[in-house]
Amino acid sequence: MRLSDTIIVKVMKRILFPLLILLLCFVNTAKADNLAPEKIEGARTVSTVTAKLLFDKGYHFIDVRGLDDFKMGHIPGAYHLSIKSDFDERNLSVIVKKSQPVVIYCNGILCMGSSIAIKKAIDWGWSNIFYYREGIGDWKQQGYSVHSIKP
């Protein structure tokens, strides 16, 4: 390797390394902005283990994902109210009274649907909400049963 090549390599390392660090910082910050909140005031965040206990006790579960996702697999007995189309006060009240416990979930920590739905339900007066932030993906990963609707 010639002296000029060595100098070029050193200069590139001095420039590229800081740029790489900046890029990684930007990516981590952008990714954090897309994560569902860990807590929502007025709701109780529950883990997958706790969600399963609530399921075993017969609590109402509401899946707020799109219909196609719901059909591919959902928590058995869960009701479907898509946050994008039919999650509203009237439809929610048909499923569960404002004082009854309800578990709301979507695809997991990268899905904002359940947090949006919970904030709306709280605004409408629901007071016993469980926020299952980890969602259907973690439910499946833990090996719990899933129901699908075949066309």
Side-chain angles (χ1 to χ4, degrees):
M1 189 186 277
R2 298 180 316 200
L3 180 59
S4 61
D5 292 341
T6 304
I7 293 171
I8 291 172
V9 168
K10 285 183 180 180
V11 169
M12 288 182 72
K13 283 183 181 179
R14 287 185 183 190
I15 294 171
L16 291 179
F17 184 71
L19 287 175
L20 181 61
I21 297 298
L22 284 173
L23 178 64
L24 290 174
C25 289
F26 175 75
V27 169
N28 283 338
T29 302
K31 187 174 181 182
D33 290 343
N34 293 329
L35 293 178
E38 290 183 21
K39 297 181 185 295
I40 299 172
E41 191 167 334
R44 288 168 276 184
T45 303
V46 295
S47 67
T48 299
V49 171
T50 303
K52 178 65 164 84
L53 291 172
L54 299 176
F55 172 82
D56 291 341
K57 287 184 174 186
Y59 283 37
H60 294 287
F61 277 67
I62 298 180
D63 185 322
V64 296
R65 300 174 302 148
L67 185 57
D68 289 340
D69 286 341
F70 180 80
K71 286 180 177 181
M72 286 189 340
H74 57 271
I75 294 173
Y79 295 90
H80 179 251
L81 290 179
S82 172
I83 190 67
K84 292 182 179 177
S85 61
D86 53 4
F87 188 89
D88 61 29
E89 186 175 4
R90 186 186 65 76
N91 289 338
L92 184 58
S93 67
V94 169
I95 296 168
V96 62
K97 292 182 172 91
K98 290 185 177 186
S99 61
Q100 288 181 306
V102 61
V103 181
I104 299 177
Y105 73 94
C106 61
N107 278 323
I109 65 171
L110 296 176
C111 178
M112 298 298 288
S114 57
S115 63
I116 293 167
I118 289 168
K119 288 174 186 174
K120 286 182 177 190
I122 290 168
D123 287 346
W124 298 329
W126 268 262
S127 59
N128 201 355
I129 301 173
F130 294 90
Y131 172 36
Y132 180 28
R133 179 179 183 255
E134 295 167 347
I136 191 70
D138 203 60
W139 182 272
K140 289 178 186 178
Q141 187 173 352
Q142 297 301 320
Y144 299 138
S145 65
V146 174
H147 180 76
S148 60
I149 301 170
K150 309 246 189 251

